Amino acid sequence: MRLSLNSRLSVISALLPALLVMLVVYVGATSWTVWMSLTNSRMLPNNNFVGLRQYEMLLGNDRWITSVHNIIIYGVLFVSLALLIGFLLAVAIDQRVRAEDTIRSIYLYPYSMSFVVTGLVWQWLLNPTLGIQHVLRSWGFEGATFDWIVRPETAIYCLVIAGVWQASGLVMAIMLAGLRGVDDEIWKAARVDGLPKWRVYVSIIIPMMGASFATAAVLLSTGVVRLYDLSVAMTNGGPGIASEVPAKFVMDHLFERANIGLATAAATTMLITVIAVVAPYLYWRARKGEMR
Protein backbone atom coordinates (compact mmCIF):
# COMPACT_ATOMS: atom_id res chain seq x y z
CA MET A 1 0.00 0.00 0.00
CA ARG A 2 1.51 3.32 -1.05
CA LEU A 3 1.46 6.22 1.41
CA SER A 4 -0.12 9.50 0.48
CA LEU A 5 1.97 12.68 0.27
CA ASN A 6 0.68 13.91 3.63
CA SER A 7 1.51 10.60 5.26
CA ARG A 8 5.03 10.70 3.82
CA LEU A 9 5.54 14.24 5.10
CA SER A 10 4.33 13.18 8.54
CA VAL A 11 6.78 10.26 8.60
CA ILE A 12 9.68 12.46 7.43
CA SER A 13 8.88 15.20 9.97
CA ALA A 14 8.75 12.59 12.76
CA LEU A 15 12.12 11.11 11.76
CA LEU A 16 13.84 14.42 11.01
CA PRO A 17 14.88 15.31 14.61
CA ALA A 18 16.47 11.91 15.16
CA LEU A 19 18.19 12.13 11.77
CA LEU A 20 19.60 15.58 12.58
CA VAL A 21 20.85 14.40 15.96
CA MET A 22 22.54 11.41 14.33
CA LEU A 23 24.17 13.60 11.68
CA VAL A 24 25.37 16.28 14.10
CA VAL A 25 26.29 14.18 17.15
CA TYR A 26 27.56 10.97 15.61
CA VAL A 27 28.71 11.75 12.08
CA GLY A 28 29.74 15.34 12.86
CA ALA A 29 31.62 14.54 16.06
CA THR A 30 33.34 11.53 14.47
CA SER A 31 34.40 13.56 11.43
CA TRP A 32 35.74 16.35 13.69
CA THR A 33 37.71 13.81 15.74
CA VAL A 34 39.30 12.31 12.62
CA TRP A 35 40.18 15.79 11.30
CA MET A 36 41.72 16.86 14.62
CA SER A 37 43.91 13.74 14.55
CA LEU A 38 45.46 15.12 11.34
CA THR A 39 46.37 18.47 12.92
CA ASN A 40 48.90 19.60 15.53
CA SER A 41 46.20 20.76 17.98
CA ARG A 42 47.40 21.04 21.58
CA MET A 43 45.33 22.77 24.27
CA LEU A 44 42.92 24.31 21.75
CA PRO A 45 41.88 22.83 18.40
CA ASN A 46 43.38 24.30 15.22
CA ASN A 47 43.38 23.41 11.53
CA ASN A 48 47.16 23.14 10.93
CA PHE A 49 47.31 19.99 8.82
CA VAL A 50 50.26 17.70 9.67
CA GLY A 51 49.18 14.51 7.93
CA LEU A 52 49.82 11.28 9.84
CA ARG A 53 52.42 12.74 12.22
CA GLN A 54 50.19 12.20 15.27
CA TYR A 55 49.80 8.53 14.36
CA GLU A 56 53.60 8.17 14.02
CA MET A 57 54.01 9.71 17.49
CA LEU A 58 51.27 7.43 18.81
CA LEU A 59 52.99 4.27 17.56
CA GLY A 60 56.23 5.43 19.19
CA ASN A 61 54.58 6.19 22.54
CA ASP A 62 55.43 3.55 25.16
CA ARG A 63 52.34 4.39 27.19
CA TRP A 64 50.08 3.76 24.17
CA ILE A 65 51.85 0.50 23.35
CA THR A 66 51.36 -0.62 26.96
CA SER A 67 47.68 0.38 26.76
CA VAL A 68 47.14 -1.67 23.59
CA HIS A 69 48.97 -4.64 25.10
CA ASN A 70 46.81 -4.43 28.22
CA ILE A 71 43.51 -4.10 26.35
CA ILE A 72 44.33 -7.20 24.28
CA ILE A 73 45.03 -9.21 27.45
CA TYR A 74 41.94 -7.81 29.15
CA GLY A 75 39.71 -8.30 26.10
CA VAL A 76 40.67 -11.92 25.42
CA LEU A 77 40.46 -13.02 29.06
CA PHE A 78 37.40 -10.92 29.93
CA VAL A 79 35.26 -12.08 26.98
CA SER A 80 36.29 -15.75 27.13
CA LEU A 81 35.99 -16.09 30.92
CA ALA A 82 32.70 -14.17 31.11
CA LEU A 83 31.23 -16.36 28.34
CA LEU A 84 32.44 -19.55 30.03
CA ILE A 85 31.32 -18.65 33.55
CA GLY A 86 28.04 -17.14 32.36
CA PHE A 87 27.24 -20.29 30.35
CA LEU A 88 28.07 -22.59 33.27
CA LEU A 89 25.88 -20.52 35.59
CA ALA A 90 23.03 -20.69 33.07
CA VAL A 91 23.42 -24.47 32.78
CA ALA A 92 23.31 -24.77 36.57
CA ILE A 93 20.14 -22.69 36.84
CA ASP A 94 18.54 -24.53 33.92
CA GLN A 95 18.49 -27.74 36.00
CA ARG A 96 15.21 -26.48 37.53
CA VAL A 97 16.82 -25.81 40.91
CA ARG A 98 14.85 -24.50 43.86
CA ALA A 99 14.76 -20.75 44.52
CA GLU A 100 15.73 -20.17 40.90
CA ASP A 101 14.49 -16.57 40.92
CA THR A 102 16.56 -15.73 44.02
CA ILE A 103 19.73 -17.34 42.65
CA ARG A 104 19.27 -15.61 39.31
CA SER A 105 18.88 -12.24 41.05
CA ILE A 106 22.06 -12.87 43.08
CA TYR A 107 24.01 -13.67 39.90
CA LEU A 108 22.63 -10.57 38.18
CA TYR A 109 23.25 -8.24 41.13
CA PRO A 110 26.89 -7.34 40.22
CA TYR A 111 25.74 -6.11 36.81
CA SER A 112 23.51 -3.53 38.49
CA MET A 113 26.61 -1.91 40.01
CA SER A 114 28.63 0.71 38.16
CA PHE A 115 32.23 0.02 37.19
CA VAL A 116 33.31 2.70 39.67
CA VAL A 117 31.68 0.89 42.60
CA THR A 118 32.92 -2.47 41.31
CA GLY A 119 36.45 -1.09 41.02
CA LEU A 120 36.44 0.36 44.54
CA VAL A 121 35.08 -2.86 46.05
CA TRP A 122 37.69 -5.03 44.33
CA GLN A 123 40.45 -2.51 45.11
CA TRP A 124 39.67 -3.03 48.79
CA LEU A 125 39.41 -6.83 48.45
CA LEU A 126 42.75 -7.08 46.64
CA ASN A 127 44.58 -4.57 48.85
CA PRO A 128 47.29 -6.64 50.62
CA THR A 129 46.99 -4.64 53.86
CA LEU A 130 43.18 -4.64 54.07
CA GLY A 131 41.61 -7.33 51.89
CA ILE A 132 41.88 -11.06 51.21
CA GLN A 133 45.60 -11.38 52.00
CA HIS A 134 45.18 -9.57 55.32
CA VAL A 135 42.20 -11.76 56.30
CA LEU A 136 44.00 -15.00 55.43
CA ARG A 137 47.08 -13.99 57.45
CA SER A 138 44.90 -12.97 60.41
CA TRP A 139 43.44 -16.52 60.32
CA GLY A 140 46.91 -17.99 60.73
CA PHE A 141 47.94 -18.51 57.11
CA GLU A 142 51.12 -16.44 57.46
CA GLY A 143 52.44 -17.43 54.05
CA ALA A 144 49.28 -16.41 52.17
CA THR A 145 50.09 -13.89 49.42
CA PHE A 146 47.59 -12.22 47.12
CA ASP A 147 49.17 -8.92 46.10
CA TRP A 148 48.48 -8.90 42.37
CA ILE A 149 47.13 -5.34 42.45
CA VAL A 150 50.45 -3.84 43.58
CA ARG A 151 52.62 -5.85 41.17
CA PRO A 152 53.09 -4.34 37.68
CA GLU A 153 53.12 -7.72 35.92
CA THR A 154 49.77 -8.85 37.40
CA ALA A 155 47.78 -5.62 37.91
CA ILE A 156 45.90 -5.99 34.61
CA TYR A 157 44.61 -9.41 35.72
CA CYS A 158 42.96 -7.73 38.70
CA LEU A 159 40.89 -5.68 36.24
CA VAL A 160 39.97 -8.95 34.48
CA ILE A 161 38.77 -10.48 37.78
CA ALA A 162 36.59 -7.48 38.60
CA GLY A 163 35.22 -7.21 35.05
CA VAL A 164 34.32 -10.90 34.82
CA TRP A 165 32.66 -10.77 38.25
CA GLN A 166 30.42 -7.94 37.08
CA ALA A 167 29.58 -9.20 33.57
CA SER A 168 29.02 -12.92 34.17
CA GLY A 169 25.48 -12.32 35.40
CA LEU A 170 24.50 -10.60 32.16
CA VAL A 171 25.94 -13.47 30.12
CA MET A 172 24.09 -15.92 32.35
CA ALA A 173 20.77 -14.19 31.58
CA ILE A 174 21.42 -14.27 27.81
CA MET A 175 22.53 -17.92 27.88
CA LEU A 176 19.60 -18.96 30.07
CA ALA A 177 17.19 -17.45 27.55
CA GLY A 178 18.95 -19.44 24.83
CA LEU A 179 18.81 -22.68 26.84
CA ARG A 180 15.12 -22.23 27.57
CA GLY A 181 14.54 -21.95 23.82
CA VAL A 182 15.92 -25.43 23.13
CA ASP A 183 13.22 -27.91 22.14
CA ASP A 184 12.56 -30.54 24.82
CA GLU A 185 12.38 -33.19 22.08
CA ILE A 186 16.15 -32.84 21.63
CA TRP A 187 16.73 -33.79 25.27
CA LYS A 188 14.30 -36.71 24.98
CA ALA A 189 16.09 -37.98 21.86
CA ALA A 190 19.48 -37.64 23.62
CA ARG A 191 18.22 -39.66 26.60
CA VAL A 192 16.90 -42.39 24.26
CA ASP A 193 20.33 -42.56 22.59
CA GLY A 194 22.02 -42.71 25.98
CA LEU A 195 24.22 -39.65 25.43
CA PRO A 196 25.83 -38.14 28.54
CA LYS A 197 24.73 -34.59 29.35
CA TRP A 198 28.11 -33.00 28.75
CA ARG A 199 28.18 -34.54 25.27
CA VAL A 200 24.72 -33.15 24.49
CA TYR A 201 25.82 -29.66 25.55
CA VAL A 202 29.10 -29.76 23.62
CA SER A 203 27.83 -31.41 20.42
CA ILE A 204 24.23 -30.16 20.15
CA ILE A 205 23.22 -27.35 22.53
CA ILE A 206 26.22 -25.01 22.19
CA PRO A 207 26.20 -25.09 18.35
CA MET A 208 22.47 -24.28 18.46
CA MET A 209 23.15 -21.25 20.70
CA GLY A 210 25.35 -19.41 18.21
CA ALA A 211 23.13 -16.30 18.28
CA SER A 212 23.22 -16.15 22.11
CA PHE A 213 27.01 -16.46 22.17
CA ALA A 214 27.37 -13.84 19.42
CA THR A 215 25.07 -11.39 21.21
CA ALA A 216 26.90 -11.81 24.51
CA ALA A 217 30.29 -11.53 22.81
CA VAL A 218 29.34 -8.27 21.07
CA LEU A 219 28.02 -6.75 24.31
CA LEU A 220 31.16 -7.79 26.19
CA SER A 221 33.39 -6.48 23.40
CA THR A 222 31.83 -3.02 23.60
CA GLY A 223 32.60 -3.10 27.32
CA VAL A 224 36.24 -3.88 26.51
CA VAL A 225 36.58 -0.87 24.23
CA ARG A 226 34.90 1.42 26.78
CA LEU A 227 37.07 0.20 29.66
CA TYR A 228 37.99 3.37 31.57
CA ASP A 229 36.19 3.87 34.86
CA LEU A 230 37.08 0.42 36.20
CA SER A 231 40.77 1.11 35.55
CA VAL A 232 40.61 4.58 37.13
CA ALA A 233 38.67 3.43 40.20
CA MET A 234 40.71 0.30 40.80
CA THR A 235 44.33 1.08 39.87
CA ASN A 236 44.32 4.49 38.14
CA GLY A 237 46.51 2.89 35.49
CA GLY A 238 49.15 1.80 38.01
CA PRO A 239 51.45 0.70 39.40
CA GLY A 240 53.23 3.17 37.11
CA ILE A 241 51.56 2.59 33.74
CA ALA A 242 51.17 -1.17 34.23
CA SER A 243 47.37 -1.20 33.89
CA GLU A 244 46.90 1.67 31.43
CA VAL A 245 44.14 1.20 28.82
CA PRO A 246 43.45 3.10 25.56
CA ALA A 247 40.39 5.00 26.82
CA LYS A 248 42.38 6.33 29.78
CA PHE A 249 45.21 7.31 27.44
CA VAL A 250 42.73 9.35 25.38
CA MET A 251 41.13 11.05 28.38
CA ASP A 252 44.47 11.90 30.00
CA HIS A 253 45.89 13.47 26.83
CA LEU A 254 42.65 15.29 26.12
CA PHE A 255 42.09 16.90 29.53
CA GLU A 256 45.35 16.69 31.51
CA ARG A 257 48.19 16.75 29.00
CA ALA A 258 46.52 19.22 26.60
CA ASN A 259 47.36 17.24 23.48
CA ILE A 260 44.17 17.11 21.41
CA GLY A 261 45.96 15.89 18.28
CA LEU A 262 47.46 12.80 19.95
CA ALA A 263 44.28 12.07 21.91
CA THR A 264 42.09 12.17 18.79
CA ALA A 265 44.61 10.03 16.90
CA ALA A 266 44.28 7.41 19.65
CA ALA A 267 40.47 7.70 19.59
CA THR A 268 40.42 7.31 15.80
CA THR A 269 42.65 4.24 16.04
CA MET A 270 40.23 2.72 18.55
CA LEU A 271 37.29 3.49 16.23
CA ILE A 272 38.99 1.81 13.26
CA THR A 273 39.76 -1.23 15.41
CA VAL A 274 36.13 -1.51 16.54
CA ILE A 275 34.86 -1.24 12.97
CA ALA A 276 37.31 -3.94 11.86
CA VAL A 277 36.02 -6.26 14.61
CA VAL A 278 32.28 -5.52 14.37
CA ALA A 279 31.90 -5.20 10.58
CA PRO A 280 32.33 -8.96 9.87
CA TYR A 281 29.65 -9.77 12.47
CA LEU A 282 27.21 -7.23 11.01
CA TYR A 283 27.90 -8.57 7.52
CA TRP A 284 27.23 -12.11 8.76
CA ARG A 285 23.95 -11.00 10.37
CA ALA A 286 22.90 -9.23 7.17
CA ARG A 287 23.69 -12.26 4.99
CA LYS A 288 21.87 -14.53 7.43
CA GLY A 289 18.80 -12.30 7.24
CA GLU A 290 18.85 -12.37 3.44
CA MET A 291 19.02 -16.17 3.39
CA ARG A 292 15.87 -16.52 5.50
Side-chain angles (χ1 to χ4, degrees):
M1 182 177 66
R2 300 186 61 180
L3 297 176
S4 65
L5 180 59
N6 288 336
S7 297
R8 290 182 181 180
L9 290 175
S10 299
V11 172
I12 292 173
S13 61
L15 295 175
L16 191 59
L19 182 62
L20 289 175
V21 169
M22 187 188 73
L23 287 174
V24 174
V25 175
Y26 291 99
V27 179
T30 302
S31 301
W32 184 85
T33 300
V34 174
W35 170 245
M36 283 296 104
S37 71
L38 302 175
T39 69
N40 62 352
S41 300
R42 297 288 300 185
M43 181 177 290
L44 296 174
N46 63 58
N47 293 317
N48 296 328
F49 182 75
V50 294
L52 299 176
R53 186 188 304 171
Q54 299 289 2
Y55 293 91
E56 294 176 4
M57 295 174 62
L58 187 67
L59 294 177
N61 190 304
D62 290 338
R63 190 177 174 190
W64 172 254
I65 300 300
T66 302
S67 300
V68 173
H69 181 255
N70 284 339
I71 204 66
I72 292 173
I73 293 175
Y74 179 86
V76 172
L77 293 178
F78 170 71
V79 174
S80 56
L81 289 177
L83 285 175
L84 176 63
I85 295 174
F87 177 73
L88 293 177
L89 292 176
V91 170
I93 290 181
D94 194 42
Q95 307 307 309
R96 312 295 178 181
V97 297
R98 291 183 178 179
E100 176 184 323
D101 292 342
T102 303
I103 296 174
R104 192 167 52 203
S105 300
I106 292 173
Y107 288 159
L108 269 174
Y109 177 72
Y111 191 68
S112 66
M113 301 170 64
S114 70
F115 269 128
V116 174
V117 175
T118 300
L120 292 175
V121 169
W122 277 98
Q123 182 197 52
W124 181 83
L125 288 173
L126 298 175
N127 188 321
T129 60
L130 299 171
I132 297 172
Q133 178 176 304
H134 174 73
V135 172
L136 290 175
R137 291 188 177 184
S138 67
W139 286 352
F141 300 97
E142 297 296 335
T145 302
F146 195 36
D147 57 352
W148 286 12
I149 199 168
V150 297
R151 294 166 55 190
E153 66 273 18
T154 54
I156 187 63
Y157 301 107
C158 295
L159 299 185
V160 174
I161 293 172
V164 170
W165 177 77
Q166 195 203 39
S168 294
L170 171 66
V171 178
M172 179 273 300
I174 296 172
M175 296 298 175
L176 186 60
L179 288 172
R180 293 288 162 81
V182 175
D183 194 336
D184 288 339
E185 295 299 323
I186 293 176
W187 286 107
K188 293 178 182 176
R191 280 195 290 270
V192 170
D193 292 339
L195 292 175
K197 267 195 171 181
W198 67 268
R199 181 73 180 277
V200 179
Y201 277 111
V202 172
S203 302
I204 301 174
I205 304 300
I206 291 179
M208 290 177 63
M209 294 177 59
S212 298
F213 277 95
T215 301
V218 169
L219 291 175
L220 294 173
S221 299
T222 58
V224 172
V225 177
R226 293 185 289 108
L227 178 64
Y228 170 73
D229 34 11
L230 181 63
S231 173
V232 172
M234 200 166 169
T235 63
N236 198 26
I241 59 170
S243 58
E244 283 282 344
V245 292
K248 187 174 181 301
F249 179 93
V250 172
M251 298 299 283
D252 287 353
H253 282 76
L254 199 59
F255 297 108
E256 294 182 4
R257 303 193 174 204
N259 194 336
I260 294 176
L262 194 62
T264 51
T268 303
T269 303
M270 291 171 62
L271 175 65
I272 294 172
T273 305
V274 170
I275 292 174
V277 173
V278 175
Y281 170 71
L282 296 177
Y283 177 75
W284 172 74
R285 288 288 301 269
R287 287 294 302 271
K288 189 176 179 181
E290 290 176 358
M291 294 173 63
R292 287 178 178 174

